[in-house]
Each structure stands twice: as C-alpha cells, then as structure tokens.
Amino acid sequence: MKELMLGNKAVARGLYEAGCCFISSYPGTPSTEITEEAAKYDEIYCEWAPNEKVAMEAAFGASLAGKRSFCGMKHVGLNVAADPLYTMSYTGVNAGIIIGVADDAGMHSSQNEQDSRHHAIASKVPMMEPSDSAEALEFTKLAYELSEEYDTPILMKMCTRVSHSQSIVEAGERVVPERKAYEKNIPKYVMMPGNAIKRHPFVEDRMRRMAEWAETAPVNRVEMGGTEIGIITSSTSYQYVKEVFGDTVSVLKLGLVNPLPTKLIKDFAAKVGKLIVVEELDPIIENHCKALGLEVHGKDMLPIEGEFSQNLIKKAITGEAAGGTALDETIPMRPPVMCAGCPHRGLFFALKKNKCTVLGDIGCYTLGAVAPLASIDMTLCMGGSVSSIHGFNKAGEGENEKKTVAVIGDSTFMHSGMTGLANIAYNQSNSTVIILDNSITGMTGHQQNPTTGYNIKGDPAGKIDLEALCRAMGFNRVRVVDPYNIQECDEAIKEELAADEPSVIISRRPCALLKYVKHKKPFKVNTEKCIGCKSCMRIGCPAISMKDGKAHVDETLCVGCGLCEQLCPVGAFESTEEEG
C-alpha cells in the first residue's frame, strides 16, 4: 500500500513494521510527531518522559529486557541525553535500540543550530540519515538489524525538512522478532572502570567493522552522471542537489554518516573532475575527505550556518542566480506573538510593570521577550532560568534579589527545573521562581506531562502536585495566582520579592488553545468611550488593533480574558457575555 507520508510518520511506521515494542520520548520540534504517530499503534507502548535523559535510559531498560525500543528528541535534547548515550556505546544492547534525533538548521524552533553528527562521532555510535520519507521507513527497519548485529545503539538523524515534508512510502507488515532473553552479564553492563576499560576496545572494533560495511552498504550509493563535477552529500541536501543539477553531475549519496566510508569516497573522487561536498552546518564529510588527502570544495563555497535551499546551492556552485518569485518587500513583518488569551500575557505585563529582571526559559512563554512586553532578559536552555537566578542573586550581593525573578513552564520545570529549585532551597539564595502552569506542553503542540494527570493517549495517569512538590523541596512560601488577574499577579510579585526567603509563585491557567477550555464571549469597544490612548495595546494582544483612532477587537480571536478591560482607564471595553 502506497501512501503520501510525513517523514516523522514514516519513521513511526518503520518502528511499527520492525517490531518496536517500547517508545519513550520528550517532545521537541521537529521530532515530536514520530512518537505521536507511533502512539496510534496499540501494539507499541509509548510514553512522554520528563526529559530526554530519562527517555533514553528507559529505552535502554526495555532493550535490556529483550524488546526493541526507541527514544526520540530534537538536537538540543541529545545534549541532555548525552550522559547515557556515551556509556550505552560501551555497554551495547540486548534487543535493538534506535535514538531518533532531529536537527533544526535554520533554527525555526530552537535556541541553537548544532550539528548532531558531532555527538555520533564523539560517542562512537553509528548514525543513519534518511533523505525522504521512504528512506526514513526503510532506514528505521535496517537500523534495528544493524543495532543487534553490531551490538550498538543506532542514531537516526532527521532534520526539519525531512521530518516535516511528505513523500511516497510503501507500507509493509509488522514483524515482531522473538523477545531476546535477558542474561546477567556484569562485564558487559556494569560500567565501573574495570569493566569499562575492557569495553572500549570493543567499541573501536565495532566502528572499524561498521566502516567496512559502509563501503558497500546499500544506504550509500553512487549515481553517475556528468563527470565534470562530483558531489558528495546526504539528507535534504541530496534532494536540493538533484533538483538543481539532475544527471548533469555525479552524486555520492551517503545514508550512513558515521562511520564514513573511505574506499567508496576515494573511488568516487577518482571518477570526477571537481569534488564538492554539500552538507548543512558543519564540514563533517568535507573534513573526512580532506583527511583522506582529497582535494575537495565545501565550506569555501557554501555557508557553515543556516539552512540550504535549491537557489543557494545553485548560486554557490554555478554562480547563476536561480529563478523564482520574490516576495514583495513592502509586506509588513509579522513577528511571533503570544496567542489571544494566552495565560502568560497578564503575568508578563505585571513583571514589566514592576520593572523586574526576568530570567527566562524554553517554551512558548519565551515570547515574553518580544515587544511590547519585552519582559525577558535571558533564555539559555531547559531549566536554565531556575539555576541561573540562584547564581545571579548570589553574585549580586543583595542588589538583584529584590527585583529579579525566574520564569519556567510546567513541562520545562519537570524536565530540568527541579534540580535548580533544589539548589535554591539547599544553598539558600533569596530567589523568586514563577512556574507558568498552563496545564500542557504548549510550544511543541499540546503534549501531556507529569503535571497534567494524563498520559500520551489522554488516559488518566499519575499527576504531580506542584505546590506539594515545591513545599517538599524546602519552600515555605508557595502561592498560586490567576494570570488573568493583573492586580493579583502584581501583588504576588511585590510581596514575594520583598520577602527575605526563597519563594515560588505558580501562575495557573490552561493554555487558551486547549480544546476543553471554555472561553467567555468576546469583548467589544464602546467607541464613544474610547479616547484612543492605546493603553490596551501595551499587552500585545493580537485581537486588539487601532481603527480610525479607536481601539478595535477582532471577535474571531478574542476569548474574553478581560486583560484589556483591566487596562482601559475609561471603561471602553465591554463584555458581550450578557448579549448572548
């Protein structure tokens, strides 16, 4: 059966067909849909873990028990999971393990633009890289065979364009291999120094054997065309190269990007005139070619940062500007904003009103840094706000603690915020942490987390009580506020910053986009009362605009949160609740 399938959905289908039985992941764009799609198969146990490290360790445990497993994450999530990854390289596996990692060249939804191939090289774990949905399915099935044959976890590298594009896939049947019996093996699985030092030679030998396999592997293929130019490439760059040049150049398309072949590349180079490597981000393949003594072009022609395109590649290699339709430069920019009715808006307005220094975190609430709220001073990584405020206040010698807060979402708090909060309690900085509890993992598309009370399928699950947790961690001052009530938020911020001990404020209201949330009817503007002062514009609500010098509410966007009513000095905003 042939089907047009998203790249991430194709990976999920590959997991299903290969007999994967256990999946633990943490959502992260552009990887999220792999696990969401896999969860639709009742034959596969799927879960959202609190973070990527936990997910990888859980997948390792399932492998140890003899079932094929998977964990998925975005590129920065692999940083979090690096600790178990590097040691899993030494232990190897029982049943096969695939680690899905999706890079985000162009930083469409990420705080950096790292290249996950470095993790594969450093951890000495094989990495496969499909270039379309069909390969995503087939590579996934092959990866399990390689994982078990070579006793290794396998990294499956996706990227935004492969994850979120569609191509034709031919689906097959599910085949579940016989469960592998668990056998106690202390030298293999107990990585204390005496055992680990004996496993290192195994890792090196495994990579040598896989490098030999790479020379004739079906995932690495030569497509001979014109021989004046030969291009070595992989992933979505392969698609761009084929679209630009077709058969006018020869192409070595690599599907296994760690370890890289040697003889295959040398033989290909000998058949062409000018050798060029086309790869997004860092020169991994290019440096490998140079180490082989080959004369090769790459980053001297193509950028080391940003996402590639057909036009970029054509201009870089041929000097010709590609055709296409240019955007009208007079079109006004549409910067990202919080949604109408976003529960974070009122809280950030109160923080701005109090002129707070705000250490931010990773989530849709990072948009609090955008005008007109402009209320976030720093965003580093998951959980970074809570750890950073401790150091900021300790080093501030009392100057910062009365005007500085950390903000972190409920899912991010469970991911990496708890240890930072424990540090505040243990080492006693006078810090105020605000947990923005919108009852969901918002930025990646509404995934459940340990504070919501529901699992990946929406069934009832264990629910963490944030207030009880914070008190158990040593905080005497824990309070809950409604971010739709600006005065309540304002008072809580003032009181907790004035206190001479650490505190936690939980800003609690569900995401306005959740299907179960019942909104009030929209507000309207009484134009006779409105004086055009634009006080309402200070919250940056996309439902509010100015029209003929008066405030105007788009009733298709407004959810009746009432923030505008609280800001208007003349009472021009009126609810339509009674009109219904």
Side-chain angles (χ1 to χ4, degrees):
M1 181 180 66
K2 291 186 178 181
E3 180 182 344
L4 191 63
M5 196 175 285
L6 201 72
N8 281 349
K9 184 178 180 180
V11 173
R13 181 68 193 185
L15 295 172
Y16 170 77
E17 293 183 14
C20 176
C21 295
F22 181 95
I23 296 177
S24 184
S25 302
Y26 184 81
T29 306
S31 73
T32 308
E33 296 87 359
I34 298 174
T35 302
E36 288 181 328
E37 291 293 335
K40 296 176 182 178
Y41 297 109
D42 292 335
E43 297 91 336
I44 307 176
Y45 170 81
C46 294
E47 66 180 24
W48 291 125
N51 66 30
E52 296 86 359
K53 179 178 185 291
V54 172
M56 188 176 292
E57 291 161 349
F60 175 74
S63 163
L64 204 60
K67 293 289 186 74
R68 286 182 169 180
S69 63
F70 173 86
C71 62
M73 61 206 70
K74 67 186 295 177
H75 61 288
V76 286
L78 192 56
N79 300 337
V80 179
D83 196 0
L85 171 67
Y86 282 58
T87 304
M88 280 169 56
S89 177
Y90 277 44
T91 64
V93 303
N94 187 18
I97 301 177
I98 296 176
I99 300 155
V101 56
D103 282 10
D104 189 19
M107 292 178 283
H108 300 282
S109 184
S110 305
Q111 67 267 40
N112 70 23
E113 199 176 28
Q114 72 188 46
D115 190 327
S116 292
R117 292 178 295 175
H118 289 292
H119 272 304
I121 294 166
S123 64
K124 301 185 178 180
V125 169
M127 175 179 274
M128 303 182 74
E129 189 173 26
S131 64
D132 59 21
S133 298
E135 286 189 348
L137 191 158
E138 293 305 319
F139 282 20
T140 300
K141 294 165 69 174
L142 176 60
Y144 276 120
E145 297 176 13
L146 295 172
S147 176
E148 291 167 355
E149 179 181 351
Y150 289 91
D151 192 9
T152 181
I154 300 285
L155 283 158
M156 181 70 66
K157 179 180 176 291
M158 302 289 282
C159 69
T160 302
R161 296 304 171 189
V162 177
S163 290
H164 290 165
S165 64
Q166 298 184 79
S167 58
I168 297 293
V169 163
E170 187 163 358
E173 298 298 320
R174 176 172 169 85
V175 178
V176 182
E178 184 178 345
R179 178 179 175 180
K180 293 182 178 291
Y182 166 69
E183 296 179 3
K184 186 170 183 174
N185 189 338
I186 291 175
K188 177 172 168 36
Y189 293 120
V190 181
M191 286 299 96
M192 53 189 182
N195 293 333
I197 199 168
K198 296 173 184 176
R199 291 294 294 178
H200 190 187
F202 160 78
V203 173
E204 301 299 338
D205 179 64
R206 178 187 69 205
M207 293 303 286
R208 281 191 290 270
R209 289 185 291 119
M210 284 220 69
E212 291 173 5
W213 179 79
E215 301 291 354
T216 57
V219 297
N220 296 333
R221 66 175 184 265
V222 174
E223 300 175 359
M224 292 304 295
T227 56
E228 184 179 337
I229 294 177
I231 296 177
I232 305 176
T233 187
S234 66
S235 187
T236 189
S237 296
Y238 164 77
Q239 303 291 353
Y240 301 151
V241 165
K242 294 299 286 186
E243 285 188 47
V244 171
F245 296 106
D247 295 330
T248 63
V249 301
S250 294
V251 175
L252 170 53
K253 192 266 184 190
L254 298 174
L256 183 73
V257 291
N258 188 56
L260 290 166
T262 295
K263 184 176 184 298
L264 180 63
I265 291 175
K266 285 184 174 180
D267 289 348
F268 176 75
K271 297 174 183 177
V272 299
K274 186 176 184 180
L275 187 65
I276 303 172
V277 173
V278 178
E279 56 185 330
E280 285 185 335
L281 301 182
D282 295 336
I284 304 292
I285 301 171
E286 179 184 347
N287 287 345
H288 177 73
C289 292
K290 288 178 177 177
L292 297 177
L294 299 174
E295 184 178 339
V296 61
H297 296 276
K299 295 307 174 185
D300 57 336
M301 303 173 69
L302 294 153
I304 198 170
E305 70 281 336
E307 190 175 36
F308 286 1
S309 67
Q310 296 90 330
N311 289 355
L312 183 151
I313 289 172
K314 184 173 183 179
K315 185 173 183 180
I317 295 178
T318 69
E320 300 175 17
T325 302
L327 287 175
D328 184 345
E329 294 181 0
T330 63
I331 297 174
M333 291 184 63
R334 292 175 61 97
V337 294
M338 294 178 184
C339 305
C342 176
H344 306 318
R345 181 173 281 108
L347 189 280
F348 277 116
F349 181 82
L351 290 172
K352 183 173 184 178
K353 180 183 175 183
N354 283 279
K355 298 180 180 179
C356 292
T357 297
V358 181
L359 305 188
D361 225 291
I362 306 298
C364 49
Y365 50 89
T366 310
L367 290 170
V370 179
L373 293 169
S375 298
I376 290 182
D377 295 73
M378 180 282 291
T379 299
L380 181 66
C381 62
M382 298 284 276
S385 64
V386 185
S387 303
S388 295
I389 193 175
H390 174 75
F392 191 73
N393 285 342
K394 282 287 188 181
E397 298 179 350
E399 296 176 4
N400 299 330
E401 59 190 31
K402 298 300 182 183
K403 58 183 179 182
T404 305
V405 303
V407 295
I408 186 169
D410 51 329
S411 180
T412 309
F413 177 73
M414 297 308 303
H415 180 287
S416 295
M418 289 187 289
T419 46
L421 199 68
N423 191 39
I424 291 172
Y426 176 53
N427 288 306
Q428 286 294 294
S429 63
N430 187 6
S431 300
T432 298
V433 174
I434 303 176
I435 301 175
L436 305 171
D437 182 6
N438 65 348
S439 306
I440 205 71
T441 308
M443 185 170 67
T444 48
H446 289 175
Q447 291 78 33
Q448 305 296 336
N449 68 66
T451 72
T452 66
Y454 298 95
N455 65 18
I456 193 172
K457 292 182 179 290
D459 299 326
K463 177 180 171 66
I464 298 218
D465 184 328
L466 283 174
E467 296 96 302
L469 174 62
C470 293
R471 291 191 179 98
M473 293 180 77
F475 285 77
N476 299 317
R477 302 183 67 91
V478 180
R479 65 195 293 177
V480 179
V481 298
D482 179 0
Y484 278 2
N485 188 326
I486 294 176
Q487 183 177 348
E488 183 181 4
C489 293
D490 182 53
E491 291 173 356
I493 292 166
K494 282 184 169 69
E495 290 173 11
E496 298 312 320
L497 286 175
D500 289 325
E501 61 177 306
S503 60
V504 173
I505 301 171
I506 300 171
S507 174
R508 177 169 291 146
R509 183 170 279 272
C511 172
L513 300 183
L514 287 170
K515 293 179 180 179
Y516 70 79
V517 175
K518 293 183 178 180
H519 297 298
K520 293 181 179 180
K521 292 199 173 177
F523 277 76
K524 66 179 182 181
V525 177
N526 185 328
T527 54
E528 293 182 2
K529 290 183 179 180
C530 179
I531 58 175
C533 67
K534 299 184 181 179
S535 291
C536 54
M537 301 296 287
R538 291 182 294 161
I539 54 174
C541 177
I544 304 173
S545 60
M546 298 300 293
K547 191 174 183 180
D548 299 325
K550 304 283 187 176
H552 172 74
V553 174
D554 183 340
E555 294 187 8
T556 65
L557 293 177
C558 179
V559 300
C561 72
L563 293 181
C564 53
E565 181 186 30
Q566 296 172 57
L567 293 181
C568 182
V570 295
F573 286 86
E574 299 173 352
S575 175
T576 60
E577 198 74 27
E578 294 181 0
E579 295 179 7

